Amino acid sequence: MTRKIQVLKDITSANDAIAAQNQELLGKHHILALNVMSSPGAGKTSLILNTIARLRSKLSIAVIEGDIASKVDADKIGKEGIPVVQINTGGGCSLEATMVSSALPRLPLEKTDVLFIENVGNLVCPATFALGEHKKLVIASIPEGDDKPTKYPIMFAEADVVVVNKLDLLPYVDFDLVHFRKVVKGLNPDVQIFEVSCKTGEGLDAWCSWLANEVGSR
Amino acid sequence: MTRKIQVLKDITSANDAIAAQNQELLGKHHILALNVMSSPGAGKTSLILNTIARLRSKLSIAVIEGDIASKVDADKIGKEGIPVVQINTGGGCSLEATMVSSALPRLPLEKTDVLFIENVGNLVCPATFALGEHKKLVIASIPEGDDKPTKYPIMFAEADVVVVNKLDLLPYVDFDLVHFRKVVKGLNPDVQIFEVSCKTGEGLDAWCSWLANEVGSR
């Protein structure tokens, strides 16, 4: 057990060193990079697509897509004419900094303002691996239930922004938004929380204003 | 990288040896053990609670609850008067066989027919760690979208049973059940698929009949 923990610590330190290099490269190009994390199917790609639709006239956006397998998500982003690189982790439960460092030279960094790095759908492993991002964005989804921050506290404690998606399903499921906000703020008092529906568009303007403002203030 | 893969291989072999011991112990007591896996919030605990309600007069059920943190789920099961042990993995992204072997002596094995081992909510890591189960049950959820088997193929390829939950939300989201079934059967031709709603009860009788039959045929 001790050996296992030591090796995992070594892996994490090696990862952090490469993440720092990624962040430096992104900084040189004045790019704001977001590590986008959630359970499978909470709406990472939908939020990115909706953000592209609203902000593409003002900001240049690029995307790295991380999945165990398939290029379903990269195809969706590519169809919008947005620069995108798909990474398949095989069985790996999170993107790692080396995967991102391999992808960066394949993107037009000199003309990018915002980079979304969409992680593998997983509320556990991605919390451990820094990628070089400036902000950690966690998406929660109404039908997953309001107890996720209690059960997966590390992810919510480390987030800079939490977006609660699928507000349109609120009438059909038990989800107490007040309780959810309270638990998240208890874990992480400084976190920004946005409530949106990528289906109806509700709440997306507030999220996009925040993001555009973050880019402007860099 | 080679070192990392070697260490992960060592961990997996050590885990498999303990899983085999767990399976032998469960076999001695004629217990059918199911490893219950899904994304966070797909309905693992809800399916277990609904199954308890329908089968408790015929079968003795026990539960092991795996979570990163909290005992929310064990409390729900315990309230029903069902023997339950909560395991918290800390940051660990899956239950492992040693955790189950520590929990087994705390359950009344001599009078148990079915053991549900509810894994950490994660569509990736739990596919790698055998626990000693006889059947792998994967729950998919309608609002997660029908592309999950394409993006997380290992989990669906290894399942003995796939339960599609939250059928009641089908009118409100895009989910093509025919496409979903086709992709799952393509990965795994022998898998059993049930479509249910733990909210309305739809489809639960078929799932419970299958389970009771599996116990009877042991």
Side-chain angles (χ1 to χ4, degrees):
Chain A
M1 210 55 172
T2 315
R3 185 175 160 221
K4 182 176 162 188
I5 290 166
Q6 184 53 46
V7 171
L8 291 176
K9 217 179 254 180
D10 292 351
I11 293 169
T12 310
S13 312
N15 180 77
D16 286 352
I18 297 163
Q21 290 169 16
N22 292 344
Q23 202 175 47
E24 202 187 322
L25 176 62
L26 292 162
K28 265 188 202 158
H29 291 282
H30 308 288
I31 295 169
L32 176 73
L34 295 101
N35 184 355
V36 186
M37 299 175 281
S38 78
S39 302
K44 294 181 292 303
T45 314
S46 296
L47 185 71
I48 293 170
L49 285 168
N50 274 279
T51 307
I52 288 168
R54 279 168 175 75
L55 293 181
R56 65 185 306 161
S57 60
K58 291 184 213 163
L59 297 173
S60 295
I61 298 173
V63 180
I64 294 174
E65 283 292 341
D67 279 294
I68 301 289
S70 91
K71 57 187 192 74
V72 176
D73 289 342
D75 287 348
K76 285 183 194 165
I77 304 290
K79 261 175 73 180
E80 300 299 318
I82 295 292
V84 59
V85 176
Q86 175 79 54
I87 299 171
N88 284 147
T89 66
C93 62
S94 173
L95 286 179
E96 297 179 25
T98 47
M99 300 173 188
V100 173
S101 69
S102 313
L104 290 177
R106 297 164 60 197
L107 290 169
L109 299 182
E110 67 290 345
K111 36 180 181 169
T112 297
D113 301 310
V114 178
L115 173 65
F116 288 109
I117 308 171
E118 182 179 332
N119 219 314
V120 175
N122 189 322
L123 277 189
V124 191
C125 313
T128 315
F129 292 96
L131 304 178
E133 72 274 9
H134 307 98
K135 299 282 178 191
K136 290 181 193 292
L137 163 59
V138 175
I139 304 176
S141 169
I142 295 286
E144 288 170 10
D146 56 22
D147 60 355
K148 293 301 143 311
T150 307
K151 290 184 176 172
Y152 303 86
I154 304 164
M155 184 60 88
F156 287 89
E158 296 200 351
D160 297 291
V161 193
V162 170
V163 172
V164 186
N165 187 26
K166 308 196 188 180
L167 263 191
D168 53 288
L169 294 178
L170 199 52
Y172 313 112
V173 297
D174 293 327
F175 191 106
D176 182 339
L177 272 169
V178 175
H179 171 75
F180 178 88
R181 278 183 163 272
K182 197 175 152 186
V183 176
V184 173
K185 287 280 183 181
L187 290 164
N188 187 343
D190 299 325
V191 73
Q192 290 280 337
I193 304 178
F194 296 97
E195 294 161 9
V196 313
S197 165
C198 286
K199 194 168 179 182
T200 66
E202 187 181 351
L204 287 170
D205 286 344
W207 148 252
C208 288
S209 296
W210 177 86
L211 181 62
N213 191 49
E214 284 292 315
V215 176
S217 66
R218 285 178 68 75
Chain B
M1 210 56 171
T2 316
R3 185 176 159 221
K4 183 177 162 189
I5 289 167
Q6 184 54 46
V7 172
L8 291 176
K9 218 179 251 178
D10 291 352
I11 293 170
T12 311
S13 312
N15 180 77
D16 286 353
I18 297 163
Q21 290 170 15
N22 291 345
Q23 203 175 47
E24 202 187 322
L25 176 62
L26 292 162
K28 266 188 202 158
H29 291 281
H30 308 287
I31 295 170
L32 176 72
L34 295 101
N35 184 354
V36 186
M37 298 175 282
S38 78
S39 302
K44 293 183 292 302
T45 314
S46 296
L47 185 70
I48 293 170
L49 284 168
N50 273 279
T51 308
I52 288 168
R54 279 168 175 75
L55 293 182
R56 65 185 305 161
S57 60
K58 291 184 214 162
L59 297 173
S60 296
I61 299 174
V63 180
I64 295 173
E65 283 292 340
D67 280 294
I68 301 289
S70 90
K71 56 188 194 75
V72 177
D73 289 343
D75 287 347
K76 285 183 194 165
I77 304 290
K79 261 174 73 178
E80 300 298 318
I82 295 292
V84 60
V85 176
Q86 175 78 53
I87 299 171
N88 283 147
T89 66
C93 63
S94 173
L95 287 179
E96 298 178 24
T98 47
M99 300 172 188
V100 173
S101 70
S102 313
L104 290 177
R106 296 163 60 196
L107 290 169
L109 299 182
E110 66 290 347
K111 37 180 180 169
T112 298
D113 300 309
V114 177
L115 173 64
F116 288 109
I117 307 171
E118 182 179 332
N119 219 314
V120 175
N122 189 323
L123 277 188
V124 190
C125 313
T128 315
F129 293 96
L131 304 178
E133 72 274 9
H134 307 98
K135 299 282 177 190
K136 289 182 194 291
L137 163 59
V138 175
I139 304 177
S141 168
I142 295 286
E144 288 169 11
D146 55 21
D147 59 356
K148 292 301 142 311
T150 307
K151 289 184 177 173
Y152 303 86
I154 304 166
M155 184 60 88
F156 287 88
E158 296 200 352
D160 296 292
V161 194
V162 170
V163 172
V164 186
N165 187 25
K166 307 196 189 181
L167 263 191
D168 53 288
L169 293 178
L170 199 52
Y172 313 112
V173 297
D174 294 327
F175 190 106
D176 181 340
L177 273 169
V178 175
H179 171 75
F180 177 89
R181 279 183 161 273
K182 197 174 152 187
V183 176
V184 173
K185 287 279 183 183
L187 290 164
N188 187 343
D190 300 325
V191 72
Q192 290 280 339
I193 303 178
F194 296 96
E195 293 160 9
V196 312
S197 164
C198 286
K199 193 168 181 182
T200 66
E202 186 180 352
L204 287 170
D205 286 345
W207 147 251
C208 288
S209 297
W210 178 86
L211 180 63
N213 191 50
E214 284 293 314
V215 176
S217 66
R218 286 180 67 77

